[in-house]
Amino acid sequence: MRRGGTTTAPRPGTFTSLQVRNYRIYASGALLSNVGTWLQSTAQAWLVLQLTGSGAALGLTIALQLLPSLVLSPFAGVLADRVAKRTLMRWLQLGMAVPSALLGLLAITGVVQVWHVYVLTTLFGAARALEAPARQSFVAEMVGQEHLSNAVSLNSASFNSGRLVGPALAGVLIAAFGSGVDATGWVILANALSYGFVFLALQLMDPARLHPAPLTGDRRGAVRAGVRYVRSRPDLVLLFSCVFFLGSFGMNFAVTSALMATEEFGKGAGEFGLLGSIMAIGSLAGALLAARRPSPRLRFIVGAALLFAAVQVLSAVMPTYVTYAAVLPLVGLSVLTAVTTANALIQMSTDPAMRGRVASLYLMVFLGSVPLGAPVIGWLAEAFGARWALAASGLVVGLGVIASAVYFMRHDAAIRLALANRRRLPRPWSSRATAPVDDGLDLV
């Protein structure tokens, strides 16, 4: 970290990025907002079940919330590379707060219908899709390269700290207000207010201590340039493949946990919310473990994704609510280890001028793939039961990650051989051998 012309090496540890004042301020606001995010996620799932009683409707709701990521993420990445990220994020906090506030008010007044949920969750998802690449790439501007891996992991830890508190708190609040439709509205409204904490944190930052990436300006073909950059990096292609299978068929917990709690075990809102908090114990542990790793590795992502597939299948055969809940920390630990390491790898190994676009493509694949899988998982749960849906999701993730890894290893070997041959040949215009090419494969 540079101050007054000198460079200070970061102290090793889990929380080193909190030495940076701007990041401390941001992390405080983000933690409160993350609690609100999980309050709404739990309350919205309960609201849809109250209105429809349908697993397919719940899957469609999640799909509509994440569908904008599939459509808007590439353009959001270009926007993040062209516009000051701090300014963009401030405006988009309002864009997320307004749909949440409207949905909360409709539920409180008792006039809400399921189509209201569909429309407002799509608008909310559009604002989040536009904000996410700026938020992801803004981490590097707050902390610099030396603290980047740690800060990315602590962001995930913050998100899962919110997940640890939010679902259980939502369940308690919904039950306290009567477990009806109006009860969910108060919880959703609390999330709308939580975006003010992030807005305030962004306002309180010291701009002079940021490390802004160069803005790209208004250039045609910016999205295509980002796609070409990713395609030229086999490590990123494998990473994107892993998170595609995790996102599309693995991380549909709002559907599977809700249906396991209500249909398989006959539980209510409080027990449903508690499942999310129990899973967050493992998720938080995974994020904190990743924070201690100074350099992310691709093999770690593959291993964690395969572990997730195994424990997802295991959770499907648990006979009771207690045994199902006991497996969930392992589910959270494995999936957050994979996702946090993937995020850190992208942030650390990407050209700063391309960071917003690469982050947006990552989010498009990761979050945008959920609309492809969530309705399928919801339909499987409705047609064959929640257990079959859980088992199918784990099997698809495992097979997809294995196939992606096999393809990468074959492609990787060919690239290494080609690079080795290129390095042996002298340049025709120079007597010196070709300099080593930075292909990114040493990250594996």
mmCIF file of all heavy atoms in Angstrom, residues 116-140:
data_model
loop_
_atom_site.group_PDB
_atom_site.id
_atom_site.type_symbol
_atom_site.label_atom_id
_atom_site.label_comp_id
_atom_site.label_asym_id
_atom_site.label_seq_id
_atom_site.Cartn_x
_atom_site.Cartn_y
_atom_site.Cartn_z
ATOM 1 N N HIS A 116 -47.542 -8.779 -9.845
ATOM 2 C CA HIS A 116 -46.788 -7.659 -9.280
ATOM 3 C C HIS A 116 -45.373 -8.116 -8.903
ATOM 4 O O HIS A 116 -44.389 -7.401 -9.141
ATOM 5 C CB HIS A 116 -47.476 -7.113 -8.034
ATOM 6 C CG HIS A 116 -48.804 -6.477 -8.286
ATOM 7 N ND1 HIS A 116 -49.872 -6.595 -7.421
ATOM 8 C CD2 HIS A 116 -49.249 -5.713 -9.316
ATOM 9 C CE1 HIS A 116 -50.906 -5.925 -7.896
ATOM 10 N NE2 HIS A 116 -50.557 -5.391 -9.043
ATOM 11 N N VAL A 117 -45.298 -9.286 -8.296
ATOM 12 C CA VAL A 117 -43.988 -9.819 -7.896
ATOM 13 C C VAL A 117 -43.118 -10.032 -9.128
ATOM 14 O O VAL A 117 -41.930 -9.664 -9.148
ATOM 15 C CB VAL A 117 -44.150 -11.140 -7.116
ATOM 16 C CG1 VAL A 117 -42.787 -11.668 -6.683
ATOM 17 C CG2 VAL A 117 -45.051 -10.946 -5.907
ATOM 18 N N TYR A 118 -43.693 -10.597 -10.178
ATOM 19 C CA TYR A 118 -42.924 -10.865 -11.389
ATOM 20 C C TYR A 118 -42.368 -9.569 -11.996
ATOM 21 O O TYR A 118 -41.187 -9.497 -12.365
ATOM 22 C CB TYR A 118 -43.800 -11.568 -12.424
ATOM 23 C CG TYR A 118 -44.231 -12.964 -12.064
ATOM 24 C CD1 TYR A 118 -45.355 -13.538 -12.645
ATOM 25 C CD2 TYR A 118 -43.511 -13.731 -11.149
ATOM 26 C CE1 TYR A 118 -45.760 -14.829 -12.335
ATOM 27 C CE2 TYR A 118 -43.902 -15.015 -10.822
ATOM 28 C CZ TYR A 118 -45.032 -15.561 -11.415
ATOM 29 O OH TYR A 118 -45.421 -16.837 -11.096
ATOM 30 N N VAL A 119 -43.214 -8.549 -12.101
ATOM 31 C CA VAL A 119 -42.789 -7.298 -12.736
ATOM 32 C C VAL A 119 -41.734 -6.592 -11.889
ATOM 33 O O VAL A 119 -40.674 -6.169 -12.397
ATOM 34 C CB VAL A 119 -43.996 -6.371 -12.977
ATOM 35 C CG1 VAL A 119 -43.529 -4.983 -13.425
ATOM 36 C CG2 VAL A 119 -44.928 -6.972 -14.022
ATOM 37 N N LEU A 120 -41.998 -6.451 -10.600
ATOM 38 C CA LEU A 120 -41.090 -5.684 -9.737
ATOM 39 C C LEU A 120 -39.776 -6.410 -9.512
ATOM 40 O O LEU A 120 -38.720 -5.778 -9.409
ATOM 41 C CB LEU A 120 -41.777 -5.375 -8.400
ATOM 42 C CG LEU A 120 -42.929 -4.367 -8.509
ATOM 43 C CD1 LEU A 120 -43.686 -4.268 -7.187
ATOM 44 C CD2 LEU A 120 -42.407 -2.994 -8.925
ATOM 45 N N THR A 121 -39.812 -7.721 -9.453
ATOM 46 C CA THR A 121 -38.552 -8.444 -9.278
ATOM 47 C C THR A 121 -37.701 -8.370 -10.539
ATOM 48 O O THR A 121 -36.465 -8.377 -10.476
ATOM 49 C CB THR A 121 -38.812 -9.907 -8.874
ATOM 50 O OG1 THR A 121 -37.642 -10.454 -8.272
ATOM 51 C CG2 THR A 121 -39.196 -10.765 -10.052
ATOM 52 N N THR A 122 -38.346 -8.252 -11.713
ATOM 53 C CA THR A 122 -37.594 -8.067 -12.962
ATOM 54 C C THR A 122 -36.930 -6.691 -12.992
ATOM 55 O O THR A 122 -35.761 -6.560 -13.386
ATOM 56 C CB THR A 122 -38.515 -8.239 -14.173
ATOM 57 O OG1 THR A 122 -39.126 -9.531 -14.126
ATOM 58 C CG2 THR A 122 -37.732 -8.103 -15.469
ATOM 59 N N LEU A 123 -37.671 -5.647 -12.564
ATOM 60 C CA LEU A 123 -37.090 -4.301 -12.497
ATOM 61 C C LEU A 123 -35.941 -4.247 -11.492
ATOM 62 O O LEU A 123 -34.893 -3.640 -11.754
ATOM 63 C CB LEU A 123 -38.171 -3.292 -12.121
ATOM 64 C CG LEU A 123 -39.276 -3.066 -13.164
ATOM 65 C CD1 LEU A 123 -40.346 -2.134 -12.607
ATOM 66 C CD2 LEU A 123 -38.690 -2.502 -14.454
ATOM 67 N N PHE A 124 -36.134 -4.884 -10.354
ATOM 68 C CA PHE A 124 -35.064 -4.956 -9.358
ATOM 69 C C PHE A 124 -33.844 -5.663 -9.947
ATOM 70 O O PHE A 124 -32.698 -5.223 -9.784
ATOM 71 C CB PHE A 124 -35.564 -5.697 -8.120
ATOM 72 C CG PHE A 124 -34.505 -5.987 -7.100
ATOM 73 C CD1 PHE A 124 -34.181 -5.050 -6.129
ATOM 74 C CD2 PHE A 124 -33.822 -7.195 -7.102
ATOM 75 C CE1 PHE A 124 -33.201 -5.314 -5.190
ATOM 76 C CE2 PHE A 124 -32.842 -7.473 -6.169
ATOM 77 C CZ PHE A 124 -32.531 -6.531 -5.203
ATOM 78 N N GLY A 125 -34.082 -6.766 -10.644
ATOM 79 C CA GLY A 125 -32.981 -7.510 -11.241
ATOM 80 C C GLY A 125 -32.238 -6.714 -12.294
ATOM 81 O O GLY A 125 -31.017 -6.848 -12.440
ATOM 82 N N ALA A 126 -32.966 -5.850 -13.036
ATOM 83 C CA ALA A 126 -32.307 -5.020 -14.050
ATOM 84 C C ALA A 126 -31.352 -4.029 -13.396
ATOM 85 O O ALA A 126 -30.213 -3.838 -13.860
ATOM 86 C CB ALA A 126 -33.356 -4.283 -14.873
ATOM 87 N N ALA A 127 -31.795 -3.386 -12.309
ATOM 88 C CA ALA A 127 -30.912 -2.448 -11.611
ATOM 89 C C ALA A 127 -29.705 -3.164 -11.023
ATOM 90 O O ALA A 127 -28.571 -2.672 -11.083
ATOM 91 C CB ALA A 127 -31.693 -1.725 -10.515
ATOM 92 N N ARG A 128 -29.925 -4.342 -10.462
ATOM 93 C CA ARG A 128 -28.804 -5.092 -9.880
ATOM 94 C C ARG A 128 -27.840 -5.561 -10.957
ATOM 95 O O ARG A 128 -26.619 -5.581 -10.740
ATOM 96 C CB ARG A 128 -29.315 -6.285 -9.074
ATOM 97 C CG ARG A 128 -28.223 -6.950 -8.268
ATOM 98 C CD ARG A 128 -28.747 -7.934 -7.265
ATOM 99 N NE ARG A 128 -29.233 -9.152 -7.895
ATOM 100 C CZ ARG A 128 -29.532 -10.260 -7.213
ATOM 101 N NH1 ARG A 128 -29.428 -10.268 -5.895
ATOM 102 N NH2 ARG A 128 -29.967 -11.332 -7.835
ATOM 103 N N ALA A 129 -28.371 -5.946 -12.125
ATOM 104 C CA ALA A 129 -27.495 -6.373 -13.224
ATOM 105 C C ALA A 129 -26.606 -5.232 -13.697
ATOM 106 O O ALA A 129 -25.433 -5.444 -14.043
ATOM 107 C CB ALA A 129 -28.343 -6.898 -14.378
ATOM 108 N N LEU A 130 -27.132 -4.013 -13.725
ATOM 109 C CA LEU A 130 -26.335 -2.858 -14.128
ATOM 110 C C LEU A 130 -25.309 -2.475 -13.065
ATOM 111 O O LEU A 130 -24.230 -1.970 -13.381
ATOM 112 C CB LEU A 130 -27.257 -1.670 -14.415
ATOM 113 C CG LEU A 130 -28.155 -1.797 -15.650
ATOM 114 C CD1 LEU A 130 -29.140 -0.637 -15.705
ATOM 115 C CD2 LEU A 130 -27.324 -1.854 -16.931
ATOM 116 N N GLU A 131 -25.635 -2.720 -11.796
ATOM 117 C CA GLU A 131 -24.746 -2.309 -10.704
ATOM 118 C C GLU A 131 -23.639 -3.302 -10.419
ATOM 119 O O GLU A 131 -22.541 -2.935 -9.999
ATOM 120 C CB GLU A 131 -25.593 -2.089 -9.438
ATOM 121 C CG GLU A 131 -24.855 -1.498 -8.257
ATOM 122 C CD GLU A 131 -24.520 -2.517 -7.184
ATOM 123 O OE1 GLU A 131 -24.826 -3.717 -7.369
ATOM 124 O OE2 GLU A 131 -23.951 -2.122 -6.151
ATOM 125 N N ALA A 132 -23.908 -4.593 -10.655
ATOM 126 C CA ALA A 132 -22.992 -5.638 -10.203
ATOM 127 C C ALA A 132 -21.583 -5.552 -10.794
ATOM 128 O O ALA A 132 -20.598 -5.658 -10.050
ATOM 129 C CB ALA A 132 -23.603 -7.013 -10.467
ATOM 130 N N PRO A 133 -21.395 -5.365 -12.114
ATOM 131 C CA PRO A 133 -20.014 -5.275 -12.617
ATOM 132 C C PRO A 133 -19.234 -4.097 -12.025
ATOM 133 O O PRO A 133 -18.041 -4.219 -11.743
ATOM 134 C CB PRO A 133 -20.194 -5.118 -14.128
ATOM 135 C CG PRO A 133 -21.537 -5.680 -14.414
ATOM 136 C CD PRO A 133 -22.368 -5.347 -13.220
ATOM 137 N N ALA A 134 -19.906 -2.966 -11.840
ATOM 138 C CA ALA A 134 -19.229 -1.820 -11.221
ATOM 139 C C ALA A 134 -18.833 -2.152 -9.791
ATOM 140 O O ALA A 134 -17.721 -1.822 -9.348
ATOM 141 C CB ALA A 134 -20.145 -0.595 -11.255
ATOM 142 N N ARG A 135 -19.716 -2.809 -9.052
ATOM 143 C CA ARG A 135 -19.415 -3.170 -7.660
ATOM 144 C C ARG A 135 -18.264 -4.162 -7.594
ATOM 145 O O ARG A 135 -17.362 -4.034 -6.748
ATOM 146 C CB ARG A 135 -20.667 -3.744 -7.007
ATOM 147 C CG ARG A 135 -20.430 -4.350 -5.638
ATOM 148 C CD ARG A 135 -21.725 -4.646 -4.899
ATOM 149 N NE ARG A 135 -22.788 -5.093 -5.766
ATOM 150 C CZ ARG A 135 -22.983 -6.358 -6.127
ATOM 151 N NH1 ARG A 135 -22.138 -7.303 -5.738
ATOM 152 N NH2 ARG A 135 -24.013 -6.686 -6.906
ATOM 153 N N GLN A 136 -18.286 -5.162 -8.485
ATOM 154 C CA GLN A 136 -17.221 -6.165 -8.471
ATOM 155 C C GLN A 136 -15.863 -5.538 -8.757
ATOM 156 O O GLN A 136 -14.873 -5.800 -8.066
ATOM 157 C CB GLN A 136 -17.528 -7.241 -9.527
ATOM 158 C CG GLN A 136 -18.763 -8.059 -9.246
ATOM 159 C CD GLN A 136 -18.473 -9.272 -8.384
ATOM 160 O OE1 GLN A 136 -17.351 -9.493 -7.975
ATOM 161 N NE2 GLN A 136 -19.494 -10.051 -8.104
ATOM 162 N N SER A 137 -15.799 -4.706 -9.795
ATOM 163 C CA SER A 137 -14.512 -4.141 -10.195
ATOM 164 C C SER A 137 -14.102 -2.945 -9.341
ATOM 165 O O SER A 137 -12.931 -2.546 -9.354
ATOM 166 C CB SER A 137 -14.550 -3.745 -11.670
ATOM 167 O OG SER A 137 -15.665 -2.938 -11.964
ATOM 168 N N PHE A 138 -15.035 -2.359 -8.588
ATOM 169 C CA PHE A 138 -14.712 -1.232 -7.724
ATOM 170 C C PHE A 138 -13.857 -1.654 -6.534
ATOM 171 O O PHE A 138 -13.156 -0.830 -5.935
ATOM 172 C CB PHE A 138 -16.001 -0.570 -7.229
ATOM 173 C CG PHE A 138 -15.798 0.702 -6.449
ATOM 174 C CD1 PHE A 138 -15.127 1.780 -7.004
ATOM 175 C CD2 PHE A 138 -16.284 0.821 -5.155
ATOM 176 C CE1 PHE A 138 -14.933 2.948 -6.287
ATOM 177 C CE2 PHE A 138 -16.105 1.994 -4.431
ATOM 178 C CZ PHE A 138 -15.427 3.062 -4.997
ATOM 179 N N VAL A 139 -13.884 -2.937 -6.204
ATOM 180 C CA VAL A 139 -13.075 -3.426 -5.076
ATOM 181 C C VAL A 139 -11.606 -3.119 -5.315
ATOM 182 O O VAL A 139 -10.895 -2.653 -4.412
ATOM 183 C CB VAL A 139 -13.287 -4.940 -4.879
ATOM 184 C CG1 VAL A 139 -12.392 -5.463 -3.760
ATOM 185 C CG2 VAL A 139 -14.746 -5.231 -4.559
ATOM 186 N N ALA A 140 -11.122 -3.355 -6.536
ATOM 187 C CA ALA A 140 -9.711 -3.082 -6.836
ATOM 188 C C ALA A 140 -9.392 -1.604 -6.697
ATOM 189 O O ALA A 140 -8.275 -1.237 -6.303
ATOM 190 C CB ALA A 140 -9.382 -3.560 -8.251
#
